[in-house]
Amino acid sequence: MPIRTKPHEIVERALELSTADGCVVIADEESSANLRWAGNALTTNGVTRGRTLTVIATVDGKEGTASGVVSRSAVTAAELEPLVRAAEAAARGAGPAEDAQPLVTGTPASPDFAAGPAETSSAVFADFAPALGEAFARARAGGRELYGFAHHTLVSTYLGTSTGLRLRHDQPTGTLELNAKSPDRTRSAWAGRSTRDFKDVDPTALDAELAVRLGWAERKIELPAGRYETLLPPTAVADLLIYQMWSAAARDAVEGRTVFSKPGGGTRLGERLSGLPLTLRSDPDAPGLESAPFVIAHSSGDDASVFDNGLPVPATEWISDGELARLTTTRHSAALTGQPTAPGFGNLILDGGGEKSLEEMVADTRRGLLLTCLWYIREVDPATLLLTGLTRDGVYLVENGQVVGEVNNFRFNESPVDLLSRASEAGRTEKTLPREWNDWFTRAAMPALRIPDFNMSSVSQGV
């Protein structure tokens, strides 16, 4: 079975080979294209293609149902049956799965299930690459050096089950990261964008934005650690709230292990988390942020279950008008906690702010800090969701509505849940690229947030 064999045929053949009580087969067909550049010149580019096949076997027993999961890349015809048998052997050798549920039924088949996979290629950069060349020329003339990369992937996922599901989803993911540096490397600024097709990103506009920031950095100001009024740009808000949602499993909250656990037992559902009318939500159909409308689970964990593969993913409000409305659940953890089933999310959107741009929020600032992005975020205390991390690529001092210079970097210690409760203003929601987590999560839309007393716990020497 050569690599170009249609993925749906591989799914069907693997299901035919299965002798287990239940079987789920996921074929992921991935293609990618990338550009990289340094010092105002392209350095590398490339296109890749590959396929990964995941087989999930379920075996019923007197004590419950066990599952076995095996994934392999570039599976040939000769390797397909051994892969299915390996998954079955893993299931038979395992104890009953705690998250066992009947395999999903009743989800209508995707009309394009038997069609070939969608693919990306270098053509995705047809308009972007010439504009990037123009940005190089402008940067060179302005005494700046541009570094960065553009990456585009397209994954066609085919999901078939022994209960009759035949589902398919095409997921394009594009990221652009651009760094501008002064020739002596003492000044650096960063900008990033998330895109589905590179038709909505303009590298010349990003270069102009970075040129302004490098100009701000010509004046250096040293500030001590402390609490400062701080403007968090959308990218920083996204990084913090993505981590918050990764920590929002209902079962963990009920068991008293997270910031969403209620002292004395239960959860904080229904509790007001923010004085601002903020709504944190996910929606597979959100324009420009479209994600899989059904569960695709290659393994089981706190917020995912292989038994839920194919379960519809509805639009969900996690925080509604400032109140905690929902925590993530599988069908199993929903039954355990008595909460509705709320599958994990493929995008994250924070609404409810005003219409001000970040620039307008700067203009309304008497004295405070403007961040570019956060970096190296790590958890300190799960009970409060206290996080630590660093600022990077530019922290600027704002006085009387104007940026007056660049200050040193800081290490911060903050909980995103606490930040929501203390935020005094939210700006306009816009698509953004998380800086820290974009290897795992790219589809986000966030406003800038004004925090009156952001905790810069120590000075950092990083840039």
Side-chain angles (χ1 to χ4, degrees):
M1 193 174 294
I3 188 68
R4 302 310 296 167
T5 303
K6 289 184 178 180
H8 85 278
E9 296 174 347
I10 292 182
V11 171
E12 298 291 3
R13 179 57 180 153
L15 290 170
E16 290 174 1
L17 288 167
S18 173
T19 61
D21 295 301
C23 187
V24 178
V25 181
I26 305 171
D28 293 306
E29 191 87 6
E30 179 175 341
S31 57
S32 69
N34 67 81
L35 299 175
R36 292 182 178 273
W37 54 91
N40 298 327
L42 285 172
T43 55
T44 61
N45 65 84
V47 176
T48 64
R49 286 181 174 81
R51 174 182 294 158
T52 301
L53 191 66
T54 300
V55 176
I56 302 160
T58 68
V59 176
D60 299 333
K62 292 181 180 180
E63 297 180 357
T65 300
S67 63
V69 182
V70 178
S71 294
R72 290 178 185 162
S73 300
V75 177
T76 65
E79 295 168 330
L80 185 57
E81 184 167 3
L83 172 61
V84 174
R85 300 291 169 252
E88 292 172 347
R92 292 189 177 102
E98 184 188 23
D99 61 328
Q101 296 281 313
L103 295 183
V104 175
T105 61
T107 304
S110 300
D112 57 351
F113 183 76
E119 294 183 349
T120 190
S121 70
S122 57
V124 75
F125 302 125
D127 296 326
F128 173 81
L132 182 63
E134 183 181 344
F136 290 160
R138 292 185 181 186
R140 193 176 300 113
R144 301 180 297 281
E145 295 181 353
L146 297 182
Y147 297 77
F149 60 90
H151 188 245
H152 190 256
T153 63
L154 213 167
V155 179
S156 290
T157 296
Y158 296 75
L159 189 154
T161 72
S162 56
T163 54
L165 297 192
R166 298 295 186 270
L167 302 175
R168 181 250 183 88
H169 176 69
D170 297 332
Q171 186 64 69
T173 301
T175 59
L176 166 64
E177 296 200 53
L178 188 65
N179 273 88
K181 299 181 183 294
S182 60
D184 61 2
R185 311 295 168 80
T186 61
R187 292 174 287 142
S188 176
W190 174 89
R193 294 292 186 271
S194 173
T195 179
R196 287 175 62 87
D197 54 17
F198 280 88
K199 293 179 180 178
D200 57 349
V201 291
D202 182 355
T204 59
L206 288 181
D207 171 61
E209 175 186 324
L210 296 178
V212 171
R213 289 177 174 260
L214 287 184
W216 291 343
E218 289 179 353
R219 182 189 178 197
K220 303 291 186 182
I221 302 167
E222 296 295 322
L223 288 180
R227 290 187 175 271
Y228 293 91
E229 179 169 308
T230 300
L231 294 175
L232 298 179
T235 176
V237 176
D239 274 322
L240 293 169
L241 292 187
I242 289 167
Y243 199 94
Q244 176 177 304
M245 284 304 304
W246 283 344
S247 306
R251 182 175 182 179
D252 292 342
V254 167
E255 294 176 352
R257 294 188 279 126
T258 75
V259 68
F260 298 112
S261 303
K262 190 173 185 177
T267 71
R268 296 173 64 185
L269 285 168
E271 183 176 322
R272 177 160 291 281
L273 299 183
S274 177
L276 299 176
L278 299 175
T279 294
L280 183 65
R281 62 187 179 90
S282 301
D283 182 355
D285 296 322
L289 301 171
E290 293 89 347
S291 59
F294 55 87
V295 171
I296 302 171
H298 297 82
S299 61
S300 291
D302 289 343
D303 58 358
S305 170
V306 294
F307 292 91
D308 287 351
N309 269 299
L311 189 71
V313 175
T316 303
E317 290 188 356
W318 308 103
I319 297 173
S320 184
D321 196 23
E323 291 186 0
L324 183 62
R326 194 68 60 87
L327 297 169
T328 58
T329 56
T330 63
R331 285 183 296 164
H332 168 69
S333 64
L336 283 180
T337 61
Q339 297 180 20
T341 301
F345 49 99
N347 58 35
L348 200 59
I349 303 157
L350 185 65
D351 291 324
E355 292 301 318
K356 288 183 184 177
S357 66
L358 181 59
E359 291 73 19
E360 290 170 321
M361 292 174 71
V362 168
D364 289 341
T365 302
R366 188 184 67 80
R367 188 175 192 273
L369 300 179
L370 169 65
L371 303 190
T372 297
C373 56
L374 304 177
W375 184 250
Y376 207 70
I377 300 170
R378 298 295 182 267
E379 186 176 86
V380 177
D381 179 14
T384 59
L385 201 60
L386 181 65
L387 305 178
T388 191
L390 304 172
T391 63
R392 192 178 188 192
D393 285 310
V395 180
Y396 307 100
L397 179 62
V398 180
E399 291 183 334
N400 298 318
Q402 300 289 327
V403 176
V404 297
E406 182 183 63
V407 307
N408 43 273
N409 278 293
F410 296 95
R411 173 170 291 281
F412 70 87
N413 283 295
E414 281 287 6
S415 163
V417 179
D418 284 345
L419 288 178
L420 288 178
S421 71
R422 289 159 32 219
S424 58
E425 183 183 14
R428 182 173 64 224
T429 296
E430 58 187 53
K431 279 179 58 180
T432 189
L433 178 69
R435 177 79 186 269
E436 172 79 329
W437 307 125
N438 64 46
D439 284 344
W440 299 276
F441 197 98
T442 62
R443 288 173 286 279
M446 299 281 152
L449 292 181
R450 185 187 302 276
I451 310 298
D453 53 352
F454 193 86
N455 183 21
M456 300 299 188
S457 56
S458 62
V459 171
S460 169
Q461 299 307 313
V463 296

